[in-house]
Amino acid sequence: LGIESVVEKRKIKDVLDKNGWSYRYSYNASRVYLEEVSKNSPSIKYFIDLHRDSVGKDKTTTIINGKNYARVMFLVGLEHENYQKNLELATRLDELIRQFDSTLSRGIYQKEGPGVNGIYNQDFNKNVLLIEVGGENNTISEVSNTLEILAMVISEYIKGEENYDL
């Protein structure tokens, strides 16, 4: 859609193993890649971390015009001082997705408190997004259908509203 992108293909497990970190340090490991890519490609403005949720397919799937889609949920960590900027970006993208179809979004999950990360590397930049696309039981086709819409929405946002100072 005319938006240049970089896709990280290296494995988080490699950084975990190299540093002797357990799985719970995955965000520390992804931060290593995030900082490296940002340093090597300083023109990158948006950082998107895609996940799948662990809830049932009944919560992560919708049908739009007879076609199955994996539902989207934005996750925003509230345990850093600039979380409001991340929340504003997630809110705007959520609004754009809902304009396509109100059932495609599961909304924005704001996380903080004991037992959660609460940051998710979103302290790195105001344009860091953590997006859950479907769940572990969604098909590749359902996720792909959703990613087409998500790409369109992100492209629309970047091309049309990038000058808006979040």
Side-chain angles (χ1 to χ4, degrees):
L1 299 174
I3 305 293
E4 195 172 329
S5 63
V6 174
V7 177
E8 181 58 63
K9 295 182 180 181
R10 295 174 291 179
K11 296 177 181 152
I12 296 296
K13 186 167 180 354
D14 291 343
V15 176
L16 291 173
D17 291 346
K18 179 181 176 185
N19 290 289
W21 294 338
S22 65
Y23 178 77
R24 71 184 192 114
Y25 290 96
S26 293
Y27 282 100
N28 297 57
S30 65
R31 181 72 169 235
V32 170
Y33 291 150
L34 180 64
E35 290 174 351
E36 183 181 308
V37 168
S38 180
K39 180 181 175 188
N40 294 334
S41 301
S43 64
I44 293 177
K45 295 180 182 175
Y46 298 89
F47 303 88
I48 302 170
D49 189 359
L50 291 176
H51 288 242
R52 61 183 179 163
D53 206 344
S54 59
V55 298
K57 190 168 176 162
D58 59 319
K59 290 182 174 51
T60 62
T61 309
T62 190
I63 301 171
I64 303 168
N65 298 325
K67 193 173 182 180
N68 283 11
Y69 290 81
R71 296 180 73 203
V72 171
M73 181 175 67
F74 295 90
L75 194 143
V76 176
L78 303 180
E79 294 184 9
H80 62 95
E81 66 181 39
N82 297 314
Y83 78 88
Q84 192 64 39
K85 297 291 186 183
N86 303 113
L87 182 58
E88 288 174 21
L89 176 59
T91 299
R92 184 62 187 123
L93 292 175
D94 187 62
E95 290 168 353
L96 291 171
I97 287 170
R98 289 174 187 276
Q99 286 176 16
F100 173 78
D101 188 278
S102 63
T103 67
L104 188 57
S105 176
R106 293 175 54 212
I108 301 169
Y109 187 18
Q110 299 177 46
K111 290 187 82 171
E112 66 180 332
V116 301
N117 178 288
I119 298 174
Y120 308 101
N121 287 324
Q122 292 171 338
D123 62 324
F124 180 76
N125 183 291
K126 67 180 181 176
N127 295 322
V128 175
L129 292 164
L130 195 165
I131 307 173
E132 304 268 358
V133 181
E136 59 191 14
N137 297 309
N138 285 99
T139 66
I140 291 172
S141 176
E142 292 164 344
V143 171
S144 181
N145 291 341
T146 300
L147 290 178
E148 286 181 27
I149 303 308
L150 191 56
M152 179 185 69
V153 163
I154 291 170
S155 175
E156 179 181 323
Y157 174 80
I158 290 172
K159 290 177 179 176
E161 295 188 52
E162 191 172 44
N163 294 325
Y164 176 69
D165 185 31
L166 283 177

